[in-house]
Structure formats: C-alpha cells, structure tokens
Amino acid sequence: MLFVHEQNIKGKIESNYHDKGELLNQFYHEEYLPVKKALLEINFSLGRASFIKGTLIINNYLKKLSEFGNKYSINAHSKFRSSFLEEISTYLFKDNEYIKSERLGIFNKGIYAGMKIDSNMNIRVLKKDVDFCIGKKCNVKINNSAKGEIIIPIVAVEVKTYLDGTMLGEVQHSSKQIKNSTPNAKTYVLMETNDVGVDKIVAARYDNVINEMFVLRLDKKHPIADKVLEDYYNEISDAIKNIDEDDEVKVPGRLINTEKNS
C-alpha cells in the first residue's frame, strides 16, 4: 500500500526537519498512527455510514495537521498537510476487489506516458509521476533491450489543496499525456477548494481531457463533504469495474457516448 503522508512525516523525523524531529515523532505516534489505524479499519465499500465516519476522522486530522503546521512553521511546500490528501485515496480503495486480489495496484511514480525515439534511434519509454494511480504493472521488452517494468494507468488522479486557472492548464497537459499513451485511462482532479473561473470550468467540460474534477469543500472554513468523497469513490470504482466495457460495440445505438444508449 502507498502511504505518502506517513513517508513524508518519517522523512522529516529522520532529517530532523527544522530541528523539529522530536516534535514530529511525537505527532506521528500520538496523532497520525491512530488515524491510520482507524481509517484502515473502515471498509468504504459498505456505503453511506462508512463515509460519514471516515470523513469525520479525516476532517479532525486535517485540523490537527493545520494547527501543528501553523504552530511550528511547517510551510505548504513541505507537503506536510497536502500529502495526507493524497493518502486518503489509499484508504478509500484498499478494499477494492481488484486491489485486494492484486490484479491491480496503487502507484504514484513511473506511470507510463508513451514512447519516443532518441537521437541514437533507440526507443525510450516515457514515464511520469502522478499523485494517485490505480493501474497494472507489467514487463516490456523492446527489440534486444532488457525487460523493463512499466505501469499502465487505469485511473490517474491529481490531488490539490486548491486549483486555479494556471494549475488547471498544467493538470490538463498532464492528463493529455496519460490519455495519449493509454487511451482508455481516465483522469481526475481531487481538490479541497476551487479557484478556477467559471469560463475555464465550462471549457474543460468539452475538451474531454479530464474526466471529472471533485471539490471537497465549499471554502476553507467548511469541512470536507462526505457526499463528495463518496461520489469520488463511486466514480473511481465504476471506472475500474467498467474498464472492459470499452471493447464492446453494440448496435443499434450510439457508438461513442454509449452510456446514453437506452
């Protein structure tokens, strides 16, 4: 399993980040580990009650992260708080049947993003990092080269504390790379708050680069909404479950937007 927030805290403890290693170690054992244990015990596939319970734990912990970060001057660039937003997806999907059976895995690094021919006429595999990915790891061999490992994405998610217009452009570019290399992959944004203007949101609905963007909070003063977290969970779960339906062609009816067939 991928616990990026835990890795972030442990890294800061080991490096004695800003001479706060001891304080961070105390926070890790007293605050983080109980939250990790509590979230691991929740099976989010059981429905509504699990999201209400889980979101309450998440909101309480995010508040403690903010208070600790503000008190001890741990800035946003350190990803002390934002890495937990990335880790939330691990808790949500740990009980997914494809993950539990290890048919698919959870990743965030080395995601397949295409191939290119270099100046020596060799074929090079392009890879990129994302915040959260559910995909399949496999080995490939090109010509006489040694076998290499790649991760084919099914779902790729960019996680943001907030999203503005400039950041949206960057996310769209990243999503386009993934979809160009793996046409049936689906791309998403999970954000706490939205700062993207209405015009750009409307335009994004029609470019088909990002499948969906989920906003967890009304604003910084409001808690994460459990219904949005549940909607995000259902969307990703359906994307995984329906991956094989892309190969089906049924007539009479629609051939592109097949979900609209009656």
Side-chain angles (χ1 to χ4, degrees):
M1 284 293 173
L2 187 67
F3 297 101
V4 291
H5 180 57
E6 182 173 31
Q7 293 169 6
N8 183 286
I9 298 176
K10 283 185 171 180
K12 286 177 170 55
I13 293 169
E14 291 171 5
S15 66
N16 194 23
Y17 178 83
H18 292 183
D19 295 321
K20 295 179 177 65
E22 188 174 335
L23 287 167
L24 284 160
N25 188 55
Q26 182 179 352
F27 183 89
Y28 173 76
H29 284 92
E30 294 181 1
E31 303 294 349
Y32 170 75
L33 286 180
V35 166
K36 179 182 179 182
K37 181 177 183 296
L39 289 174
L40 285 174
E41 290 174 351
I42 298 174
N43 185 339
F44 288 94
S45 67
L46 298 178
R48 188 87 190 96
S50 64
F51 287 94
I52 294 172
K53 181 179 179 180
T55 305
L56 180 61
I57 295 169
I58 288 167
N59 279 320
N60 287 338
Y61 184 63
L62 282 169
K63 183 179 179 181
K64 289 179 180 179
L65 280 172
S66 296
E67 289 172 350
F68 187 90
N70 292 334
K71 184 176 181 179
Y72 296 108
S73 302
I74 301 178
N75 62 46
H77 296 295
S78 72
K79 299 196 73 174
F80 176 66
R81 185 180 178 282
S82 63
S83 59
F84 181 66
L85 293 171
E86 297 172 24
E87 190 169 291
I88 288 171
S89 291
T90 294
Y91 299 116
L92 291 178
F93 300 105
K94 62 181 172 53
D95 293 305
N96 179 278
E97 60 178 306
Y98 292 91
I99 302 299
K100 290 189 75 172
S101 66
E102 298 184 350
R103 293 168 64 188
L104 299 174
I106 293 174
F107 311 95
N108 66 351
K109 296 184 183 299
I111 310 305
Y112 177 67
M115 296 184 184
K116 66 175 290 187
I117 299 176
D118 64 20
S119 57
N120 296 317
M121 296 299 151
N122 296 316
I123 296 175
R124 184 162 67 89
V125 175
L126 303 177
K127 300 178 181 180
K128 73 186 313 302
D129 295 345
V130 299
D131 292 325
F132 179 79
C133 170
I134 293 176
K136 186 171 182 62
K137 187 183 291 186
C138 59
N139 293 317
V140 295
K141 183 176 182 180
I142 303 171
N143 295 335
N144 297 320
S145 66
K147 283 185 179 180
E149 192 174 76
I150 63 171
I151 296 164
I152 303 296
I154 291 175
V155 167
V157 183
E158 291 292 338
V159 182
K160 305 292 183 185
T161 54
Y162 73 96
L163 191 74
D164 60 23
T166 300
M167 295 162 68
L168 173 61
E170 294 168 355
V171 170
Q172 287 173 315
H173 175 72
S174 176
S175 297
K176 190 172 183 178
Q177 277 186 294
I178 289 171
K179 288 196 168 187
N180 283 345
S181 62
T182 309
N184 63 340
K186 293 192 175 181
T187 57
Y188 300 93
V189 181
L190 182 67
M191 71 186 93
E192 279 196 88
T193 57
N194 174 54
D195 287 331
V196 180
V198 174
D199 290 348
K200 289 189 176 182
I201 294 294
V202 172
R205 291 174 179 170
Y206 294 96
D207 65 13
N208 296 318
V209 173
I210 299 172
N211 287 90
E212 189 55 271
M213 298 189 287
F214 295 88
V215 186
L216 293 169
R217 299 179 187 267
L218 178 63
D219 54 41
K220 292 179 180 179
K221 296 179 181 179
H222 285 76
I224 284 175
D226 52 73
K227 288 185 178 180
V228 180
L229 206 61
E230 184 177 11
D231 189 23
Y232 167 70
Y233 171 86
N234 290 333
E235 170 72 23
I236 302 300
S237 297
D238 287 345
I240 298 167
K241 184 172 63 177
N242 298 330
I243 191 69
D244 56 346
E245 293 185 2
D246 290 339
D247 296 330
E248 296 182 3
V249 176
K250 296 179 181 179
V251 293
R254 293 172 179 258
L255 296 183
I256 303 299
N257 295 309
T258 55
E259 72 276 4
K260 295 181 180 180
N261 279 333
S262 57

